Amino acid sequence: MTQLIESAKRLVSESIIAPKGFSAAGFHCGLKHKKKDIGMIFSEVPASVAGVFTTNAIKAAPLVLTKNTVYANEKMQAIIINSGNANACTGEQGIKDAKQMQVLAAAKLGIDENLVGVASTGVIGERMKMDKVEAGIAALQLGGKLENAIDFAQSILTTDTVMKNTAYSLEIDGKEVIIAGVAKGSGMIEPNMATMLGFITTDANIEQSTLQSLLKETTDITFNAITVDGDTSTNDTVLVLANGLANNQTLDEQHPQWSTFVEIFQLVSRDLAKLIAKDGEGATKLIEVTVEGGATDAEALKIAKTVVGSPLVKTAVFGCDANWGRVICAIGYSGCSIDPTNIQISIGQTMVVDKGEPLQFDEAVLTAYLKNHEVKIYANLFQGDGYGQAWGCDLTYDYVQINATYRS
Amino acid sequence: MTQLIESAKRLVSESIIAPKGFSAAGFHCGLKHKKKDIGMIFSEVPASVAGVFTTNAIKAAPLVLTKNTVYANEKMQAIIINSGNANACTGEQGIKDAKQMQVLAAAKLGIDENLVGVASTGVIGERMKMDKVEAGIAALQLGGKLENAIDFAQSILTTDTVMKNTAYSLEIDGKEVIIAGVAKGSGMIEPNMATMLGFITTDANIEQSTLQSLLKETTDITFNAITVDGDTSTNDTVLVLANGLANNQTLDEQHPQWSTFVEIFQLVSRDLAKLIAKDGEGATKLIEVTVEGGATDAEALKIAKTVVGSPLVKTAVFGCDANWGRVICAIGYSGCSIDPTNIQISIGQTMVVDKGEPLQFDEAVLTAYLKNHEVKIYANLFQGDGYGQAWGCDLTYDYVQINATYRS
């Protein structure tokens, strides 16, 4: 899956406005101290929309509004996003405020309010400062240049340290199709969505129902396969807008190039997921866990997530300690079917466990490997053909520091 | 439950040898650098034994041996324990080594080897240094004094910073009955057992099957209601020895004072569980979460565990940050039935959320409260009569430090 298919290429100027007909904006309106905190994505024409949302029973007001909008209308033309305030646990007023953001954005763009999605991220339980939001929406200047896309990518960040962008170009029916994505992390990141917002734009022509199924399946093996700290947030949202301006034949499972489109769509999602994991709060390293030989794909994925989510594995990676005992321990408590006497574990290129027992290995080689910014752990369980991959990050002093002092 | 029943009293000299007929020993044999690392508990007469063991599919060799011993024999007279090496993932040799510890202890005591339990805790995947263990067992000097109990309590510790002892005296059938407990934590602590060893001794006369049921039920609401970091270890074991030397009428559910015995037995277990949580790796504070109004007791307990296990709640408590948003968020992702618009949350005496929305409160008062070494969080969900309590600790720089450098 890491080898790119021949007809696709990664775009150097990775940006959400790379597909035809999209523009973006980002601005500082005062919800955060200094950084940009309000942003907008806009498509020249209404786009097919698909969405996945948090599984948390406590759902933020803008998420509820946007979910309803997606299901009711199946088209979306603009998304308005703020950072600095999650607008969660804010009661009736919160719902009114989210609606007001939708109305203000629609009025500014001269489009139907049902074509506008709303997303928020930030502190829970504080009322939105709507005067600042209103001024912010008024001040947004949409544009189709890289700088506009950067303004937007910055405007959705909270404790993230870097922007998260990716984009690929491929050919469908002889037409260039572009799929681009932008996301924010970076705490409360756990399977079944997280404090993450992800936005994918494409100029592909694709039916809404097909897009929704594709997004759901893709989310399970990408955004839901990352974990930073096990906390699932109230605001997690991924939205895809497909505006059809590439003029390809409508994509569905019968289309001869369907698998190509799926592969690149998954790649965009996986890129964003890995960028989020790598930029987990306080993280210094991306950890990738690959499990083969699971009883099923679902079990392999569950085991991979369990290992990458173990605080003891995460601290060991931070400390460059080849403590494979914590890996096998996490495999053991994953709740999946395993044979303790037939487990193989490698860290990087070094096999450390075979048949459930330790092998001799050069500790210095492994310690050196663990100093890399990307650490790969492999396990084979010899239970079946199940395959799964999950991503996370190390657990560091900075994670504690960031989260002990977040509000203050 | 915190008010002690009239006929019981907490013993000032809390020690595992407080019940009649028990002696103990602890010694440094060289599995750890300097600290005591081998210990023994002995009863003058064979005792009814009950045990609960890790749910991890990877089980350490001594645990498998002891579990089999408990189920096969229903009596136990001695337990030999080492710290510094978990004897887990050590294959056939590990099983032989655990068996050899059993044989050596039995020979020293002149009892049947089937009356000896074995437990180990420490690093996973390293072979036992059996020469040191053998010399250590030979050197152990059993005694019935407080200093012997202290030697033992110290010998089972790993990254624990304090011993964990408790003991109560009560009257059954006009006879004094004592129940005492000792435990070690303190990383890999999570529901369904942890890297924890717990040993409870009592001179009560009680049937083995009754004791086993009682231990199982008690474990669910005490040892399994604590979490430090979500990792469930390969070695978790709680053993209870009841030697009957108090000469009370055999205890079972028909006994008129059964509920009194249960209450104190649970108290001993809860004391140990809370001591483990409070001494979680790097912890500065015990966090107690009490949930009322759950749909069932099981759901209330699950919610309490989810909140107390949230890294974001744990770091907020460390940082004395009254970030109730993280508490309600964790309630939301617990997977239990809740009504987001009818949740009440208090931190200490201060109600911070009612009907799912924030209340005005004096932040300075709450910040001051959060500086205490015990922080209590209450939630009412108004879904039913379900009640649950769980314990954990804050997540600190020291947790990361301890676990990033554990083996090295």
Side-chain angles (χ1 to χ4, degrees):
Chain A
M1 292 296 279
T2 47
Q3 186 105 23
L4 206 54
I5 53 168
E6 219 175 295
S7 61
K9 66 173 192 287
R10 184 158 188 162
L11 298 181
V12 180
S13 80
E14 304 164 332
S15 113
I16 196 74
I17 49 86
K20 289 178 204 67
F22 285 95
S23 54
F27 187 72
H28 169 73
C29 75
L31 298 174
K32 293 196 294 201
H33 291 304
K34 286 186 180 173
K35 295 180 177 171
K36 297 194 183 75
D37 48 20
I38 193 152
M40 184 182 271
I41 301 175
F42 178 67
S43 167
E44 280 174 30
V45 295
S48 293
V49 62
V52 288
F53 303 94
T54 190
T55 56
N56 196 313
I58 314 273
K59 295 179 204 302
L63 185 145
V64 174
L65 177 73
T66 301
K67 195 172 176 178
N68 291 341
T69 303
V70 168
Y71 291 137
N73 304 300
E74 302 187 1
K75 291 276 177 189
M76 191 168 279
Q77 194 167 0
I79 312 171
I80 179 82
I81 302 109
N82 76 275
S83 57
N85 187 328
N87 193 9
C89 302
T90 42
E92 284 300 318
Q93 189 59 46
I95 293 167
K96 283 179 194 160
D97 291 345
K99 181 70 196 169
Q100 181 66 6
M101 284 177 70
Q102 189 181 47
V103 167
L104 287 168
K108 177 189 176 86
L109 299 167
I111 61 174
D112 191 297
E113 59 198 54
N114 288 322
L115 289 171
V116 179
V118 182
S120 300
T121 178
V123 176
I124 292 172
E126 290 184 7
R127 297 270 160 87
M128 295 289 285
K129 293 174 182 157
M130 286 305 292
D131 53 337
K132 293 187 193 291
V133 170
E134 184 164 356
I137 292 175
L140 284 170
Q141 300 280 352
L142 284 167
K145 294 185 184 160
L146 185 59
E147 63 201 62
N148 303 111
I150 291 173
D151 285 346
F152 175 78
Q154 290 175 340
S155 75
I156 63 174
L157 305 180
T158 54
T159 53
D160 306 62
T161 65
V162 293
M163 290 184 292
K164 293 156 187 76
N165 289 295
T166 188
Y168 292 85
S169 157
L170 66 160
E171 226 180 76
I172 303 273
D173 301 325
K175 319 273 187 181
E176 184 186 33
V177 167
I178 293 177
I179 311 178
V182 60
K184 61 89 39 183
S186 66
M188 278 197 187
I189 298 295
E190 166 73 2
N192 298 318
M193 310 300 295
T195 302
M196 60 154 294
L197 300 178
F199 304 103
I200 297 173
T201 55
T202 177
D203 43 24
N205 173 20
I206 181 169
E207 280 291 334
Q208 195 275 337
S209 60
T210 312
L211 189 65
Q212 181 65 41
S213 307
L214 174 61
L215 175 62
K216 177 71 187 68
E217 282 163 29
T218 299
T219 298
D220 286 341
I221 55 170
T222 57
F223 298 115
N224 286 349
I226 57 174
T227 181
V228 169
D229 54 18
D231 281 276
T232 305
S233 114
T234 50
N235 288 57
D236 308 330
T237 299
V238 176
L239 291 172
V240 186
L241 301 189
N243 69 11
L245 293 180
N247 272 320
N248 57 294
Q249 298 292 312
T250 304
L251 280 159
D252 60 20
E253 290 178 23
Q254 268 64 53
H255 191 291
Q257 285 170 276
W258 174 245
S259 66
T260 302
F261 184 77
V262 168
E263 186 174 333
I264 302 303
F265 187 86
Q266 289 183 348
L267 200 52
V268 166
S269 300
R270 194 178 300 113
D271 278 358
L272 295 178
K274 288 168 73 170
L275 286 167
I276 291 169
K278 188 170 187 170
D279 193 33
E281 286 176 341
T284 67
K285 295 167 192 174
L286 175 72
I287 307 175
E288 178 177 276
V289 178
T290 307
V291 173
E292 292 180 85
T296 60
D297 283 352
E299 288 223 334
L301 180 59
K302 189 174 174 194
I303 291 166
K305 282 189 207 175
T306 305
V307 172
V308 86
S310 157
L312 291 170
V313 171
K314 290 155 67 75
T315 45
V317 170
F318 173 54
C320 298
D321 179 8
N323 196 330
W324 58 266
R326 296 178 179 177
V327 175
I328 199 167
C329 179
I331 292 171
Y333 69 71
S334 65
C336 296
S337 63
I338 59 160
D339 172 0
T341 68
N342 202 7
I343 295 176
Q344 211 172 63
I345 298 173
S346 298
I347 300 176
Q349 300 296 313
T350 309
M351 191 178 291
V352 292
V353 172
D354 191 29
K355 300 189 186 307
E357 291 187 46
L359 299 173
Q360 294 296 324
F361 58 85
D362 186 339
E363 188 107 11
V365 168
L366 216 40
T367 303
Y369 173 74
L370 288 165
K371 289 183 178 156
N372 289 317
H373 288 298
E374 294 203 12
V375 168
K376 297 186 180 192
I377 298 172
Y378 302 90
N380 198 327
L381 308 172
F382 304 102
Q383 297 290 299
D385 292 331
Y387 173 90
Q389 235 178 3
W391 299 272
C393 59
D394 52 345
L395 174 57
T396 70
Y397 300 115
D398 283 355
Y399 176 84
V400 177
Q401 199 268 328
I402 291 165
N403 284 300
T405 59
Y406 179 55
R407 282 199 331 163
S408 31
Chain B
M1 292 298 277
T2 47
Q3 185 104 26
L4 207 54
I5 54 169
E6 219 174 295
S7 61
K9 65 173 192 288
R10 184 159 189 161
L11 298 181
V12 181
S13 80
E14 305 164 331
S15 111
I16 196 73
I17 49 87
K20 289 178 204 65
F22 285 96
S23 54
F27 188 73
H28 169 72
C29 75
L31 298 174
K32 292 195 294 200
H33 291 302
K34 285 184 180 174
K35 294 179 178 172
K36 298 193 183 73
D37 49 19
I38 194 153
M40 184 182 270
I41 301 174
F42 178 68
S43 168
E44 280 174 29
V45 295
S48 293
V49 63
V52 288
F53 303 93
T54 190
T55 54
N56 195 313
I58 314 273
K59 295 178 204 304
L63 184 145
V64 174
L65 177 73
T66 301
K67 195 172 177 179
N68 292 341
T69 303
V70 168
Y71 291 136
N73 304 301
E74 302 187 0
K75 291 274 177 191
M76 191 168 279
Q77 193 165 2
I79 311 170
I80 179 81
I81 301 108
N82 75 276
S83 57
N85 186 329
N87 193 8
C89 303
T90 42
E92 284 300 318
Q93 189 58 45
I95 293 167
K96 283 180 194 159
D97 290 344
K99 180 72 197 169
Q100 181 65 4
M101 284 177 69
Q102 188 182 48
V103 168
L104 288 167
K108 177 188 176 85
L109 298 167
I111 61 174
D112 191 295
E113 59 198 53
N114 289 323
L115 289 170
V116 178
V118 182
S120 298
T121 178
V123 176
I124 292 172
E126 289 183 7
R127 297 271 159 87
M128 295 288 285
K129 293 174 182 157
M130 285 305 293
D131 53 337
K132 293 187 191 293
V133 170
E134 184 163 359
I137 292 174
L140 284 169
Q141 299 279 353
L142 284 166
K145 293 185 184 160
L146 185 58
E147 63 200 62
N148 304 111
I150 291 173
D151 285 346
F152 174 79
Q154 290 176 339
S155 74
I156 64 174
L157 305 180
T158 54
T159 51
D160 305 64
T161 65
V162 294
M163 292 184 291
K164 292 154 187 79
N165 290 294
T166 188
Y168 293 85
S169 157
L170 65 161
E171 227 179 77
I172 304 272
D173 301 326
K175 318 273 186 181
E176 184 187 34
V177 167
I178 294 176
I179 311 178
V182 60
K184 61 92 33 186
S186 66
M188 278 197 188
I189 300 294
E190 167 72 3
N192 300 316
M193 308 300 294
T195 303
M196 60 154 293
L197 300 177
F199 304 104
I200 297 173
T201 55
T202 177
D203 44 23
N205 174 20
I206 181 169
E207 281 291 335
Q208 195 276 337
S209 60
T210 313
L211 191 64
Q212 181 66 40
S213 307
L214 176 60
L215 176 62
K216 177 71 185 67
E217 282 161 29
T218 300
T219 298
D220 287 341
I221 55 170
T222 57
F223 298 115
N224 286 348
I226 56 174
T227 181
V228 169
D229 55 17
D231 281 274
T232 306
S233 112
T234 51
N235 288 57
D236 308 330
T237 299
V238 176
L239 291 172
V240 186
L241 301 188
N243 69 11
L245 292 181
N247 272 320
N248 56 292
Q249 299 292 313
T250 305
L251 281 159
D252 60 21
E253 291 180 21
Q254 269 63 55
H255 192 289
Q257 286 171 277
W258 173 244
S259 65
T260 302
F261 184 78
V262 168
E263 185 173 333
I264 302 302
F265 187 87
Q266 290 185 347
L267 201 51
V268 167
S269 301
R270 194 179 299 112
D271 278 358
L272 294 178
K274 287 168 73 170
L275 286 166
I276 291 170
K278 189 170 187 170
D279 194 33
E281 286 175 340
T284 67
K285 296 169 191 173
L286 176 71
I287 307 175
E288 178 176 276
V289 178
T290 307
V291 173
E292 292 181 84
T296 62
D297 282 353
E299 289 223 334
L301 180 59
K302 188 173 174 195
I303 292 167
K305 282 189 207 174
T306 304
V307 172
V308 87
S310 157
L312 291 170
V313 171
K314 291 156 67 77
T315 46
V317 171
F318 173 55
C320 298
D321 178 8
N323 195 331
W324 58 267
R326 297 178 179 176
V327 175
I328 199 168
C329 179
I331 291 171
Y333 69 71
S334 65
C336 296
S337 63
I338 59 162
D339 172 359
T341 66
N342 203 7
I343 296 176
Q344 210 172 65
I345 298 172
S346 299
I347 300 175
Q349 301 296 313
T350 309
M351 190 178 293
V352 292
V353 172
D354 191 29
K355 300 189 186 307
E357 291 186 45
L359 300 172
Q360 293 296 323
F361 58 85
D362 185 339
E363 188 107 12
V365 169
L366 216 40
T367 304
Y369 172 75
L370 287 165
K371 289 183 179 157
N372 288 317
H373 289 297
E374 295 202 11
V375 168
K376 298 186 179 192
I377 299 171
Y378 303 89
N380 198 327
L381 308 173
F382 303 102
Q383 296 291 299
D385 292 331
Y387 174 90
Q389 235 177 3
W391 299 271
C393 59
D394 53 345
L395 173 56
T396 69
Y397 301 114
D398 284 355
Y399 175 83
V400 177
Q401 200 270 326
I402 290 166
N403 284 300
T405 58
Y406 179 54
R407 283 199 330 165
S408 30

